[in-house]
Amino acid sequence: MISNSVILVVDDDKNISQLIKLYLTKEGCIVHAVHDGTDAISTFHDVNPDIIILDLMLPKVDGLDVC
């Protein structure tokens, strides 16, 4: 069941991350959106997400290094 899942969305394009967040929130998910690799790492440790949607081309730390 996807409802109540904690999801971390990491994308430097704020429009894309907001759209993903909108759809997942409608499905009952708790969504945290960040826009660079450094914030992704710190948010990962803070919220312990069930799944991460991760863009590869990010500012500061790229998605491969975050992974």
Side-chain angles (χ1 to χ4, degrees):
M1 193 93 206
I2 193 170
S3 184
N4 294 323
S5 296
V6 177
I7 299 174
L8 176 58
V9 177
V10 186
D11 197 316
D12 59 327
D13 186 326
K14 292 180 181 181
N15 291 326
I16 292 174
S17 61
Q18 287 301 101
L19 183 62
I20 294 169
K21 183 176 181 176
L22 175 69
Y23 281 108
L24 291 173
T25 301
K26 279 185 167 185
E27 294 298 322
C29 298
I30 301 163
V31 181
H32 301 271
V34 296
H35 308 293
D36 65 60
T38 304
D39 288 344
I41 294 168
S42 64
T43 304
F44 172 81
H45 291 293
D46 291 343
V47 302
N48 192 26
D50 297 309
I51 192 167
I52 301 170
I53 299 172
L54 178 63
D55 185 15
L56 293 180
M57 296 176 63
L58 297 169
K60 299 184 183 176
V61 179
D62 72 26
L64 288 175
D65 289 338
V66 170
C67 190

